[in-house]
Amino acid sequence: MRTRDIRVGGTYIVNVPQRIPPALRDRVPRTGTEFAADMRLHLHRGRRFELTVTDVHIDARTVDGFESVTTSKVALPLTAEQAEALGLPESEEAYRIEGLVLDGEGAPIKLPTTLAYTGLPTRWLDPLGTPTELSELSVAYYRYRVRQQATGMEAALVAQEAAEMLEKQREVAGRALDDYDAEEHLRIVEVQCAEWRRIELVMQVTGADRYRPEDDPDLSADDLKNPIAHGD
């Protein structure tokens, strides 16, 4: 998305690539909040999330913003009187109790909160409602993962996995009609399903007893390598 079209206060889709650029991946977080954001960005690799923009850096072509999330963790500051009643030594900094909020049955309660990001490239952003599209790298990665799972499997088991993945694709497609997360997941499942069915066909044509990626006639030498493990 063009940097000049992004507006502070607007909410956009962030498409996180499988390979985080070194400038983001290797930066040292200065606060606990920055550390939490960097960890979540790593978990978002190959996926999308919604970001409300709080600042646009035109020259750097980056944005700051926050993601709306939920948490069960809370921090309760103690008053000086409470700290004294607990027998805690005097301190210039306030004590606090950190933990989880649980309901009457001991299950965590989800509380709304936000997670702030800084320095995200504007090229990652799309307007809300933009259909999910996987990058070529993400497609290669999910296909690679399927081949790793299929390695050593007999033909009958591969056929079973392909049938189950096709059923999963149909189920996710139904949920994706009105579920944002499912619509995103569907693109991944479609790639996985197609790869399982391709492997099934390869084994039928070649008559292989067990699947071995190195014997797969459709693959190149590069296809045998983890696409996101290559050098930056």
Side-chain angles (χ1 to χ4, degrees), residues 167-187:
E167 183 62 28
K168 180 177 181 179
Q169 178 178 320
R170 291 168 177 161
E171 185 270 331
V172 175
R175 288 193 289 113
L177 295 176
D178 56 4
D179 186 313
Y180 173 80
D181 290 334
E183 190 270 334
E184 175 184 352
H185 187 211
L186 178 59
R187 302 285 85 83

Side-chain angles (χ1 to χ4, degrees), residues 29-204:
R30 295 169 296 178
T31 65
T33 299
E34 290 182 353
F35 178 79
D38 284 354
M39 290 297 294
R40 187 164 178 85
L41 188 64
H42 178 80
L43 295 175
H44 276 315
R45 290 185 310 160
R47 299 177 60 85
R48 309 196 307 171
F49 69 94
E50 293 184 9
L51 180 84
T52 300
V53 173
T54 57
D55 200 357
V56 180
H57 308 286
I58 301 296
D59 294 338
R61 296 183 180 179
T62 63
V63 298
D64 302 338
F66 64 86
E67 177 188 10
S68 296
V69 295
T70 59
T71 183
S72 299
K73 296 181 179 180
V74 294
L76 178 64
L78 298 179
T79 65
E81 292 77 12
Q82 290 171 327
E84 182 179 359
L86 291 172
L88 299 174
E90 292 186 7
S91 172
E92 294 182 0
E93 300 293 334
Y95 287 98
R96 68 178 184 272
I97 297 175
E98 295 185 354
L100 302 177
V101 179
L102 307 178
D103 61 19
E105 298 179 352
I109 294 176
K110 297 296 185 181
L111 303 172
T113 187
T114 58
L115 193 61
Y117 297 89
T118 59
L120 299 184
T122 56
R123 66 178 182 275
W124 289 4
L125 272 61
D126 280 328
L128 281 178
T130 302
T132 301
E133 292 185 8
L134 295 180
S135 66
E136 292 184 3
L137 182 61
S138 291
V139 171
Y141 173 71
Y142 290 117
R143 290 185 62 204
Y144 171 82
R145 287 290 302 275
V146 168
R147 293 195 293 271
Q148 290 296 295
Q149 296 171 24
T151 298
M153 283 187 178
E154 297 179 349
L157 186 54
V158 167
Q160 178 182 333
E161 291 286 347
E164 291 179 356
M165 185 56 69
L166 180 59
E167 183 62 28
K168 180 177 181 179
Q169 178 178 320
R170 291 168 177 161
E171 185 270 331
V172 175
R175 288 193 289 113
L177 295 176
D178 56 4
D179 186 313
Y180 173 80
D181 290 334
E183 190 270 334
E184 175 184 352
H185 187 211
L186 178 59
R187 302 285 85 83
I188 298 173
V189 173
E190 288 172 340
V191 171
Q192 294 170 325
C193 183
E195 188 65 1
W196 276 112
R197 298 184 73 184
R198 186 195 67 80
I199 292 172
E200 179 186 14
L201 180 59
V202 164
M203 296 189 72
Q204 290 175 353

